[in-house]
Amino acid sequence: MRKPHLGILIKPVSYDCNMACDYCYYRPVEALYPDRKRPRMSPEVFDAVCRQYRALEPRRINVGWQGGEPTLMGLDFFRRVIEIETSNARRGDCWGNSLQTNGVVLDDEWCEFLARHHFLVGLSVDGPGELNTMRRFPNGKPAFDITMRALELLRKHQVEHNLLVVISRTNVEQPDRIFQFLVDNDCHYAQFIPCTEPAGPVGGLSGHSITAEQYADFMLAMFDLWVENDDPTYYIRRLDNWIHQFFGLPPECCEYREDCSNLVTIEWNGDVYPCDFYVTEEYRMGNVRKSTLEQMLNGPEFRKFVRRAEALPPMCDGCEWLKVCHGGCYRHRAKLGIEQQETPYLCEAKKRIFGHVFETLERIKGGPADNELHRFLNHIGRRVAQERMAARAPAPARGGAPSGRRTSSARRAAAPPSGAGRNEPCPCGSGRKFKHCCASRAPSGRRG
Ligand code: SF4
Ligand code: SF4
C-alpha cells in the first residue's frame, strides 16, 4: 500500500511552546498527554526512530522537526541528533533535517550549529508587524520584533531558511503588503498556509479562519504579483507546486498528491500518527519502542486513515481539475465536519485558482509577444528540469513543514543524478529532448 519516500515529522516537545498564537492547531494535542507537563523526546526514542526510518528509506532520509516549538529541546539535544543520525548513516545516504520555529530562542550559537549541519529552517511570520498580531507571547506581547531579530541571525549565519506565513482573517486582505514584505526583507522562499481551523469538535470555521473565496482572492493576487515581479529567484511553495503540475511533474506538497500515505508524525514518546492534523487517539498507530514503522504503516489505523482520505466526494468524479486537485486536503473535508457527499471546503477556490494559473502559464509559455514573461517561464522550466535531473525529490511535506527547492543534509554522501526522463521533452518548453537541453546544465545535487 505504501509508496516510497516516506517523510517524517517529529514533535520532540509535542504541543509545548513558548508562545501562545491565537490560531495554533496543535495545542489540543495536550489532551492526549494529560499527565505530562513538559513532554520531551529522549535520545533513545530518536535513535529508535532513526534505525526504523533508515530500514524503510535506506538512502533518502528527511526529518522534519516541528512543534509546538521544537527548539525548547535545547541545542544539546540537537547535537545528539546529529551524532545519532551520523551513527545510523551508511555510505551513499542523504540525510536532511528541517526545523520549523518561531525563532524566539535562536542566537548566534544556534545559528552556527544550524548552518554547520545544513538545517533548512522555516521561520513563522505573518507579514509586517501590523499583520503579525496573531503571533504573540502568553502575556499578550507581540512577537514581531523577536522574529525579525531571528531572521537577521539566520541571514548573518547563512542558514538556509524560508518564511511560513499563515493566512488568517488578519492578513488575508493584504497580499500586496505581504509580497512587498518578502521583497523588502530579501526573503526568496515562502509558503502560505490557509488558516482553516474548525470552531470546535463538530466542525464549522473558527473566527480566525478564512473563507474559500478569501483564499482564492489571496492566492490569485499573490500569483499575479509574483508573475509581475518577474524574478524567478522568488519561490512560493504552492505556486511552485502548480508550476510543477503544469509541466506534468509530480508536486511535492501532499495536498496535491493522490493520497495521504507518505507522511507520518512521531510524538515525543515515540507514538506514531499519520499526518499531524490527525494526532488523535483514533489514529494512534503504535509506538516505535514496541512496533516497527513498517508494521505500523501496514496496521489498521493507518490503513483506515488513508482509505478515508482517499474517498472522494461524488462531485470530484469527472471534474476537469481532479488530476491536479485530487479532492484537496482531507482535513478540509473531515475536520471541518463536511460530510463525504458534500462539496469540499476550498473546492470552488481551487477551481478559480487552477483556471487562472494554468491559463496564465499557458499564455506565457505560448506567447512570443511577451518576451520577458516567456523568458521568465523558460527560466522556471529550466529550474524545474534541473531539479528533476537532480532527482532527489523531497519527501512529501505537509503544509506546515519547512520546504523549498533547497534541501539540507546532516550527511550528504555523493549520489549521482538519476537521469530520469532523459529522452522526454524538456520541461522548459524548448521542444528538444531533456538530455540535449537543460539536462546538460543540471547540477549534481539538489543544492546549488
Ligand atoms: S476542484 Fe473540487 S470537484 Fe474538482 S477535484 Fe477538487 S475538490 Fe473535487
Ligand atoms: S495535510 Fe491534508 S493532504 Fe496532507 S497528509 Fe494531512 S490530510 Fe493528507
Side-chain angles (χ1 to χ4, degrees):
M1 177 178 67
R2 189 179 68 76
K3 295 186 184 131
H5 311 313
L6 180 79
I8 59 171
L9 289 182
I10 299 189
K11 307 277 187 174
V13 300
S14 191
Y15 57 86
D16 197 10
C17 191
N18 45 11
M19 283 178 54
C21 303
D22 293 336
Y23 50 46
C24 181
Y25 72 97
Y26 211 69
R27 207 175 305 134
V29 171
E30 182 172 7
L32 279 181
Y33 302 108
D35 302 331
R36 191 69 185 217
K37 281 298 150 225
R38 291 179 74 243
R40 297 292 182 265
M41 180 172 270
S42 68
E44 291 71 31
V45 167
F46 180 63
D47 189 45
V49 171
C50 250
R51 277 186 281 108
Q52 292 190 20
Y53 189 29
R54 197 191 175 282
L56 274 177
E57 299 286 355
R59 298 189 62 107
R60 196 185 315 164
I61 293 140
N62 277 312
V63 182
W65 297 93
Q66 284 197 7
E69 175 50 45
T71 59
L72 292 182
M73 286 300 297
L75 192 46
D76 282 346
F77 173 79
F78 283 95
R79 290 192 178 108
R80 281 289 291 137
V81 161
I82 297 300
E83 286 170 11
I84 291 167
E85 289 180 348
T86 303
S87 70
N88 279 287
R90 304 282 179 278
R91 187 177 165 75
D93 284 0
C94 179
W95 289 69
N97 288 285
S98 56
L99 177 81
Q100 186 63 43
T101 180
N102 57 31
V104 171
V105 309
L106 295 188
D107 58 14
D108 284 311
E109 194 181 3
W110 263 100
C111 289
E112 275 167 27
F113 169 86
L114 295 170
R116 186 169 343 114
H117 296 289
H118 307 290
F119 275 67
L120 172 61
V121 174
L123 186 67
S124 300
V125 57
D126 294 346
E130 60 280 17
L131 300 183
N132 192 64
T133 52
M134 294 269 192
R135 306 196 53 75
R136 56 186 179 78
F137 290 100
N139 63 5
K141 228 175 120 198
F144 184 71
D145 290 347
I146 207 157
T147 307
M148 294 310 282
R149 185 196 58 94
L151 182 59
E152 276 307 308
L153 282 167
L154 292 171
R155 205 178 277 136
K156 173 179 159 192
H157 291 278
Q158 300 184 321
V159 180
E160 291 190 75
H161 60 276
N162 63 30
L163 299 190
L164 188 150
V165 181
V166 175
I167 307 303
S168 67
R169 292 267 167 97
T170 307
N171 57 4
V172 69
E173 309 287 350
Q174 310 285 346
D176 41 355
R177 287 173 68 198
I178 293 176
F179 192 82
Q180 195 56 47
F181 176 77
L182 300 180
V183 173
D184 291 346
N185 288 284
D186 204 23
C187 293
H188 290 245
Y189 297 85
Q191 56 177 323
F192 298 109
I193 310 291
C195 180
T196 54
E197 285 310 299
V202 290
L205 279 181
S206 77
H208 311 304
S209 297
I210 56 173
T211 65
E213 203 181 343
Q214 285 176 318
Y215 179 64
D217 289 345
F218 181 92
M219 290 310 294
L220 288 176
M222 195 52 74
F223 176 73
D224 289 344
L225 287 162
W226 179 71
V227 170
E228 265 168 42
N229 193 48
D230 191 15
D231 181 349
T233 65
Y234 280 86
Y235 165 99
I236 294 177
R237 186 178 177 208
R238 274 181 167 71
L239 308 190
D240 209 69
N241 271 260
W242 298 332
I243 290 169
H244 273 71
Q245 290 173 298
F246 177 75
F247 283 118
L249 302 175
E252 53 79 34
C253 184
C254 58
E255 185 177 348
Y256 302 110
R257 290 186 169 232
E258 277 178 65
D259 63 36
C260 298
S261 67
N262 289 19
L263 185 68
V264 293
T265 304
I266 304 180
E267 267 289 343
W268 65 281
N269 62 351
D271 284 351
V272 180
Y273 302 86
C275 155
D276 72 337
F277 289 114
Y278 288 90
V279 176
T280 63
E281 197 62 67
E282 181 182 12
Y283 290 120
R284 195 194 315 251
M285 295 159 58
N287 188 290
V288 292
R289 289 173 300 181
K290 296 185 185 139
S291 317
T292 65
L293 278 174
E294 181 84 55
Q295 288 166 337
M296 289 185 260
L297 289 165
N298 288 303
E301 291 80 12
F302 192 62
R303 292 161 80 101
K304 178 170 66 178
F305 173 74
V306 172
R307 209 174 42 245
R308 285 181 177 172
E310 264 173 359
L312 296 186
M315 73 277 300
C316 295
D317 272 346
C319 170
E320 64 173 313
W321 299 113
L322 182 61
K323 284 205 164 117
V324 183
C325 172
H326 301 295
C329 171
Y330 178 47
R331 101 188 134 116
H332 291 149
R333 307 194 301 270
K335 271 223 156 177
L336 295 172
I338 295 169
E339 296 295 334
Q340 191 57 31
Q341 62 279 8
E342 291 179 48
T343 305
Y345 187 67
L346 298 188
C347 169
E348 290 308 317
K350 295 275 181 68
K351 287 178 179 169
R352 263 181 72 201
I353 290 170
F354 294 142
H356 178 78
V357 168
F358 279 64
E359 190 187 302
T360 307
L361 292 175
E362 199 60 59
R363 179 170 50 76
I364 295 170
K365 187 180 171 196
D370 195 339
N371 287 333
E372 275 305 293
L373 286 177
H374 195 247
R375 180 190 58 73
F376 168 60
L377 194 64
N378 270 347
H379 191 120
I380 294 173
R382 186 170 304 131
R383 195 191 78 203
V384 170
Q386 287 172 343
E387 285 175 12
R388 184 177 187 180
M389 183 65 186
R392 291 211 289 270
R398 209 267 303 146
S403 175
R405 68 185 172 89
R406 300 175 294 178
T407 304
S408 55
S409 291
R411 164 171 295 201
R412 187 178 304 281
S418 76
R422 288 176 59 78
N423 285 315
E424 292 170 22
C426 189
C428 81
S430 66
R432 287 180 292 160
K433 282 188 178 176
F434 181 41
K435 67 182 176 188
H436 295 313
C437 186
C438 296
S440 59
R441 293 186 283 269
S444 60
R446 287 197 74 251
R447 248 161 116 234

